[in-house]
Amino acid sequence: MGRAISLRLDQPVEGITLTPWILLRDAEGNHHPNADAPLQFTWSRGAARVCHRTCAAPGCSKRPELQCVLCLESSVPLHQSFFCSTTCLNNNWTYHHLLHKPQIASVLSSGRRKASASVACVGGFGDPNECETLWKTEGLGAPGSTQEWVQITKTKSYTPTAEDVNSILKLEVLWHSDKGLLSETIETQVVLPGPPAFPDRTTIDCRTLVRKPMVKPTSGGPVPRLRVLSYNVLAEIYAVQSLYSYCPLWALSWAFRSRNLLREIDTYGADLLCLQEVQADHFDDFWSPELTKRGYEGLFKQKQRESGDGKVDGCAVFFKRDKFVLLEKYAIDFNDAALARPNAKQTATQRLLKGNIAMVVVLEYIAGGGAAGSNPGQRLCLANTHIFWDPDFPDVKLWQTHTLIQELEKFVCARDLPLLLCGDFN
């Protein structure tokens, strides 16, 4: 039988909560439900590593065990000289050898050979396996070395701090099972510093684009100013390395991205939020509770699309509770619209069935005073959508957009409602 306790931890990053993935097995090797297991957790911190860098291969964040001396003797940036293994070097060789090509040419012309604590690639620019490759490894903090550990906490989850950066964390799990006390220990990769500040986004001042205020002033007061944010947050089901091969796997994880998304959204102080690619389970488990704490109320509509793992994304709308009250809500299902087309050919209808939707809400501005529902001049219509993504279907994109505009035009013109239309139109 394999291990009774199996553990996995994501790449640790400052400020991003680490929660272990745990698999327990009973005496017969069957899976044991974690929720009912009496588990104890102990997190510890090791000393900072001698080397604070990660592997230079794109997408790899492992600790470096090897260093290219040819890089050191050339003008190659230091961080590009480290690799975790010869496998990563081989996979990255096409690019890496170009970094120190002048140095290799110098070695070939002089006939020099390097000592055993260095690298010499004397076989030209081909496969590195054909080269005489000897790696400098001393001082890189290889695993298994003597380590002093300082206990941090005994909680299941832990959020690395600035004090943990460049150190390794260790998690020990104790299980009081029917077979007695069992334990398993796992060490993390080096804790990386928190992500840098996100880039500035351009804010569009719509006062120069509209003919009249979205919300009318009350009692001769100033025109209310509203801030609206539209953001495609990239659902976890789409954040895969096959699509984003340039991005390290740990940076694609929802645990990492969710906190950064929230951190950025906080800085804008938006009154109205329109989010696309909100995963249904994340709306319930993350977006709704987190934004509720920040004074928002939210609604969600998922796409009409089946998923093998039961996870589907959709659109979400959030509004500040102290500024707006929800009067009406509607959904536009583009599948229903396609099926309702009269005399449409089956092949054309089938091409339009992509499961995309739009959300439409009517809100009343209450921050200016007055009872909710008593002032039609303080109302606006907010729509949020995500148009089909595939560039091979421009006709579907155009049809969905046209259908949406038609429906909104009938709705807002009949009631003289100002319209805010947000979305990802691909």
Side-chain angles (χ1 to χ4, degrees):
M1 186 187 73
R3 291 178 296 176
I5 307 174
S6 296
L7 301 175
R8 184 173 72 82
L9 285 168
D10 293 330
Q11 167 68 49
V13 181
E14 177 190 0
I16 306 301
T17 301
L18 278 174
T19 300
W21 301 82
I22 305 173
L23 178 63
L24 305 179
R25 298 181 185 275
D26 58 23
E28 287 72 37
N30 300 316
H31 291 180
H32 188 285
N34 299 8
D36 300 328
L39 301 177
Q40 294 179 353
F41 303 89
T42 302
W43 290 88
S44 302
R45 178 196 310 114
R49 306 290 291 200
V50 174
C51 177
H52 301 160
R53 306 183 185 279
T54 56
C55 179
C60 182
S61 61
K62 294 181 179 179
R63 296 189 296 264
E65 307 297 339
L66 314 169
Q67 186 175 20
C68 177
V69 172
L70 288 179
C71 288
L72 296 178
E73 295 183 351
S74 63
S75 59
V76 175
L78 185 63
H79 70 276
Q80 292 183 312
S81 67
F82 295 103
F83 290 90
C84 67
S85 65
T86 54
T87 299
C88 269
L89 170 68
N90 291 340
N91 294 339
N92 196 49
W93 182 247
T94 301
Y95 167 76
H96 181 74
H97 82 266
L98 297 176
L99 297 179
H100 45 67
K101 185 173 181 178
Q103 177 64 24
I104 293 180
S106 175
V107 171
L108 291 173
S109 61
S110 64
R112 287 179 295 163
R113 292 294 183 269
K114 298 298 179 181
S116 59
S118 63
V119 173
C121 292
V122 296
F125 300 101
D127 188 341
N129 290 321
E130 298 175 357
C131 301
E132 177 192 342
T133 307
L134 299 169
W135 291 98
K136 177 181 178 181
T137 58
E138 62 272 18
L140 296 185
S145 56
T146 303
Q147 182 73 276
E148 296 289 336
W149 298 98
V150 177
Q151 183 175 310
I152 307 172
T153 183
K154 286 184 172 291
T155 57
K156 179 179 181 180
S157 299
Y158 176 64
T159 304
T161 66
E163 190 177 0
D164 301 313
V165 173
N166 297 327
S167 298
I168 292 174
L169 301 177
K170 179 176 71 173
L171 173 63
E172 181 181 17
V173 178
L174 299 180
W175 178 20
H176 297 272
S177 70
D178 297 336
K179 297 184 290 183
L181 184 62
L182 302 175
S183 68
E184 185 66 31
T185 300
I186 185 173
E187 294 182 15
T188 68
Q189 301 292 330
V190 173
V191 178
L192 301 179
F198 35 79
D200 291 334
R201 311 285 187 180
T202 301
T203 300
I204 302 173
D205 190 339
C206 294
R207 288 177 296 179
T208 60
L209 304 178
V210 295
R211 296 180 180 178
K212 59 182 180 179
M214 294 294 295
V215 177
K216 297 178 181 179
T218 58
S219 305
V223 176
R225 295 190 65 182
L226 303 177
R227 177 165 287 195
V228 184
L229 175 65
S230 180
Y231 205 136
N232 184 323
V233 297
L234 182 60
E236 182 184 27
I237 51 179
Y238 305 136
V240 294
Q241 279 208 302
S242 59
L243 296 176
Y244 303 95
S245 58
Y246 55 85
C247 190
L249 185 60
W250 58 265
L252 290 173
S253 71
W254 178 244
F256 178 79
R257 292 195 304 111
S258 61
R259 291 298 160 184
N260 284 311
L261 286 167
L262 195 61
R263 185 170 63 102
E264 181 175 5
I265 288 174
D266 282 344
T267 65
Y268 298 126
D271 304 301
L272 300 169
L273 295 175
C274 290
L275 306 181
Q276 303 86 39
E277 284 197 21
V278 174
Q279 202 162 291
D281 55 332
H282 291 166
F283 178 82
D284 295 327
D285 300 339
F286 179 77
W287 289 113
S288 184
E290 288 293 341
L291 291 175
T292 296
K293 297 175 189 175
R294 291 159 171 78
Y296 291 94
E297 183 178 331
L299 303 95
F300 173 76
K301 175 65 178 177
Q302 76 175 36
K303 296 175 182 175
Q304 302 304 311
R305 186 177 298 168
E306 295 184 1
S307 173
D309 57 3
K311 295 181 179 180
V312 183
D313 70 296
C315 295
V317 167
F318 290 90
F319 55 90
K320 280 286 190 178
R321 293 192 301 270
D322 62 348
K323 291 189 176 183
F324 293 95
V325 64
L326 176 67
L327 298 182
E328 304 169 42
K329 59 180 180 179
Y330 306 96
I332 297 176
D333 188 326
F334 293 117
N335 276 11
D336 290 345
L339 294 170
R341 295 166 68 237
N343 305 319
K345 295 183 179 180
Q346 184 176 358
T347 53
T349 299
Q350 192 65 35
R351 183 174 175 84
L352 297 175
L353 298 179
K354 302 303 179 185
N356 297 79
I357 57 91
M359 300 179 68
V360 182
V361 298
V362 177
L363 303 172
E364 183 169 319
Y365 184 74
I366 59 173
S374 63
N375 193 346
Q378 299 289 99
R379 297 175 186 174
L380 61 86
C381 177
L382 176 64
N384 183 25
T385 191
H386 189 184
I387 299 302
F388 189 56
W389 68 272
D390 197 330
D392 291 334
F393 289 79
D395 53 329
V396 175
K397 298 171 187 283
L398 183 61
W399 176 82
Q400 289 182 349
T401 305
H402 176 68
T403 299
L404 174 61
I405 296 300
Q406 278 189 317
E407 292 299 315
L408 290 174
E409 185 178 29
K410 289 187 294 184
F411 184 76
V412 300
C413 290
R415 304 170 62 169
D416 193 26
L417 283 172
L419 171 66
L420 275 172
L421 175 55
C422 301
D424 181 346
F425 292 88
N426 277 309

